[in-house]
Amino acid sequence: MALNLFPKTVRFFELLSRQNAMLVEAADLLTRILEDFGKVDDACKRVNLVEVEADELCREISRQLSLTFITPIDREDIYRLNLAQEDSINLIKGIATRARLYGFTYIRFPARKMVRNLREMCAVTGEMICCLKDKTDVAAQVKQLKAIKGECEMLLGTGLAELHDTENLDMRAVVDIMKWTQVYDRIELAVERLDDLADAIEEVVLKNA
């Protein structure tokens, strides 16, 4: 596939911001699931729709990269941000899917709070992408995101300890512990991936300052 050697205006920052808006929407839907489990079916369907749309956008960004010779930032940086956001959306979808399939009758507080924090981290990365476009400093956003991640790590430890702080376990309780352990694991992966995304944005900002 030939590269376009003439200047071509592809608004990559707008595409990345649009992708981030999908990330925030998916995280918002996940938050709703853990806030009101009675709406899990509808919210999961909407998360799936967001993931499909986001997957199409991810491919479109990659396609535009293959066709465009001149980009506002390095090509590998656009690819890295595109992939990190797509991975984060997929991880959020995975959490929502498990929450639906496992049929929980109640939501544990550490998980609920971690998902709220996940939603906030998504919003902060959106602010960072805007800073990247405007070539402004992201130190405040990085500090905020790292603080949120630290709280998530504390909540994860509390949640896992709570799971295993039960005596006289029957089979149903053991299965419940296994299910919640998997959910916590997926939430942790999503938090780590969003932290990777923030690190990537910060590196690109510093590179292009």
Side-chain angles (χ1 to χ4, degrees):
M1 184 177 293
L3 290 173
N4 185 355
L5 299 179
F6 297 95
K8 178 182 178 181
T9 302
V10 178
R11 298 176 177 177
F12 284 107
F13 290 130
E14 291 186 11
L15 292 175
L16 290 171
S17 292
R18 180 179 157 201
Q19 187 183 40
N20 187 269
M22 295 177 184
L23 174 59
V24 171
E25 182 179 2
D28 186 57
L29 289 167
L30 178 61
T31 302
R32 294 183 192 180
I33 290 172
L34 270 67
E35 293 287 349
D36 183 359
F37 208 67
K39 299 179 180 179
V40 62
D41 289 336
D42 179 63
C44 280
K45 289 177 182 177
R46 291 177 62 188
V47 170
N48 288 337
L49 291 175
V50 171
E51 191 274 334
V52 170
E53 186 179 356
D55 188 56
E56 292 175 356
L57 179 57
C58 179
R59 290 197 298 270
E60 176 62 17
I61 294 173
S62 295
R63 189 181 76 84
Q64 291 294 343
L65 274 176
S66 71
L67 295 172
T68 307
F69 184 71
I70 299 175
T71 56
I73 57 177
D74 290 347
R75 305 168 64 81
E76 60 269 22
D77 291 330
I78 296 174
Y79 176 80
R80 183 181 176 189
L81 299 184
N82 181 30
L83 185 61
Q85 294 200 116
E86 172 69 5
D87 286 348
S88 298
I89 293 171
N90 288 335
L91 287 166
I92 288 173
K93 176 190 173 183
I95 299 167
T97 299
R98 283 167 176 77
R100 178 177 179 272
L101 290 176
Y102 290 164
F104 295 125
T105 56
Y106 72 99
I107 303 301
R108 295 178 178 273
F109 173 78
R112 182 184 292 117
K113 179 57 177 172
M114 286 180 73
V115 166
R116 290 177 191 164
N117 287 357
L118 197 67
R119 164 65 173 79
E120 190 174 354
M121 290 177 74
C122 292
V124 173
T125 61
E127 294 175 11
M128 294 177 71
I129 289 175
C130 290
C131 291
L132 175 59
K133 177 182 177 182
D134 298 335
K135 295 186 177 181
T136 56
D137 187 46
V138 295
Q141 286 83 4
V142 171
K143 182 178 180 180
Q144 180 183 2
L145 191 139
K146 297 298 182 183
I148 298 170
K149 181 190 176 187
E151 184 177 9
C152 285
E153 292 172 346
M154 179 190 68
L155 287 165
L156 177 64
T158 300
L160 292 176
E162 178 186 68
L163 283 179
H164 296 90
D165 188 24
T166 305
E167 298 180 358
N168 302 320
L169 294 175
D170 57 18
M171 183 56 65
R172 179 176 296 181
V174 171
V175 172
D176 190 64
I177 289 173
M178 293 173 63
K179 290 177 179 178
W180 273 110
T181 299
Q182 289 193 20
V183 169
Y184 279 126
D185 178 63
R186 294 307 186 279
I187 296 175
E188 181 184 21
L189 288 174
V191 169
E192 291 294 337
R193 194 62 174 123
L194 285 169
D195 185 54
D196 291 341
L197 171 61
D199 287 343
I201 299 172
E202 182 183 22
E203 289 175 16
V204 179
V205 169
L206 293 174
K207 185 192 299 186
N208 292 274

